[in-house]
Amino acid sequence: MKTFNLSDIDLTKYLFFTGKGGVGKTTISTNVAFDLTQRGYKVLLVDADPQLSVLSWADIRETPLPFSVMGMPKTAMKEELPKMKINGNFDFIVIDGAPRMTDLARAAIISSDFIIMPMQPSGYDLWATNELIQMVEEAKIYKSNLITAVVLNRVVGNTILAREMTKNMQENNWQFFDTNIHQRQLYSLAATQGLTVFDVDSKSESAKEISKFTDELLKVIKS
């Protein structure tokens, strides 16, 4: 299955998770940031959502995080993030984005190299993602090497709907991850404690699929 064509990209540093509300952006971004850190990368996780879900998650955590977290729900991020990357010597800056298409989302898009769109296998998410993709296409006028990809999240088993969504993405020439993130209680359990699935059970199916997703992400970035 053809998923990406990134021959013109040497290395992506800014990963922006965005999409409509309730698709699991924060859950995926916190777990991926943790997994990248486990692999030896220095990571900054930026909360660019006015609801500050990442900061709320970090506040209830009882043990120190292995990566840096900061809130930046403002359009000035496109000027500030490059400075922070240099000053902090970060390998990756992961941005947890706002759920609506606003000036803040546009600023995050322009700041990013790789836009990752979690999407639940439903028609409602498909329509909302169409709006985002239109905005991304507009941004490519100014940043031609911007990469976008969809990851199906909260998939229940091997459902017909998930297969139909994948078929739809193929027919519309969307780039997408082969890895699906499934609906699992461990994600919610970990999040309510300010933890990741790796903290709770590093050998769980949840941890395995996040690792698989990170493997695919890194493979794309380094290809």
Side-chain angles (χ1 to χ4, degrees):
M1 180 186 298
K2 181 179 179 181
T3 53
F4 298 98
N5 180 14
L6 303 180
S7 58
D8 58 335
I9 302 298
D10 294 325
L11 184 62
T12 300
K13 294 290 188 182
Y14 296 86
L15 312 178
F16 176 37
F17 289 83
T18 188
K20 69 186 258 322
V23 296
K25 300 185 307 297
T26 301
T27 296
I28 298 179
S29 62
T30 52
N31 279 280
V32 168
F34 190 96
D35 194 20
L36 286 170
T37 303
Q38 289 187 125
R39 297 165 187 249
Y41 296 104
K42 189 175 182 182
V43 178
L44 169 64
L45 177 56
V46 175
D47 193 344
D49 186 341
Q51 296 180 359
L52 298 176
S53 299
V54 170
L55 291 184
S56 297
W57 168 83
D59 282 343
I60 62 174
R61 185 182 176 92
E62 295 183 354
T63 57
L65 277 168
F67 54 86
S68 301
V69 174
M70 72 167 299
M72 193 180 289
K74 52 187 179 180
T75 57
M77 74 175 75
K78 60 181 179 291
E79 289 83 29
E80 295 183 20
L81 286 182
K83 298 175 185 177
M84 297 187 64
K85 174 184 172 295
I86 294 172
N87 293 336
N89 195 29
F90 294 106
D91 297 306
F92 287 95
I93 294 181
V94 179
I95 306 170
D96 185 56
R100 289 178 294 277
M101 295 304 99
T102 61
D103 288 342
L104 182 58
R106 289 184 175 87
I109 288 173
I110 292 299
S111 301
S112 303
D113 299 304
F114 197 157
I115 298 177
I116 302 163
M117 297 174 286
M119 183 170 67
Q120 296 179 118
S122 74
Y124 297 111
D125 282 67
L126 181 61
W127 300 329
T129 304
N130 278 331
E131 178 187 6
L132 174 61
I133 287 179
Q134 182 177 353
M135 179 182 288
V136 170
E137 290 303 315
E138 293 173 0
K140 285 182 178 179
I141 296 174
Y142 307 98
K143 195 169 185 177
S144 60
N145 62 352
L146 189 63
I147 302 302
T148 62
V150 172
V151 56
L152 287 183
N153 189 37
R154 294 179 177 166
V155 175
V156 179
N158 187 22
T159 62
I160 294 174
L161 187 53
R163 293 196 297 271
E164 289 180 348
M165 291 289 284
T166 299
K167 181 180 178 182
N168 183 286
M169 287 187 287
Q170 289 175 308
E171 291 174 348
N172 287 279
N173 295 317
W174 290 8
Q175 297 186 117
F176 60 95
F177 288 90
D178 290 328
T179 305
N180 291 338
I181 309 298
H182 290 79
Q183 180 74 26
R184 303 185 194 276
Q185 290 185 347
L186 189 59
Y187 288 113
S188 298
L189 176 65
T192 57
Q193 301 175 66
L195 301 173
T196 69
V197 294
F198 298 97
D199 293 307
V200 179
D201 186 354
S202 61
K203 296 182 180 180
S204 65
E205 291 302 313
S206 300
K208 289 177 182 176
E209 68 185 5
I210 290 293
S211 291
K212 184 179 178 182
F213 175 75
T214 306
D215 285 342
E216 189 175 357
L217 178 64
L218 291 173
K219 182 178 180 181
V220 170
I221 289 171
K222 295 178 179 180
S223 62

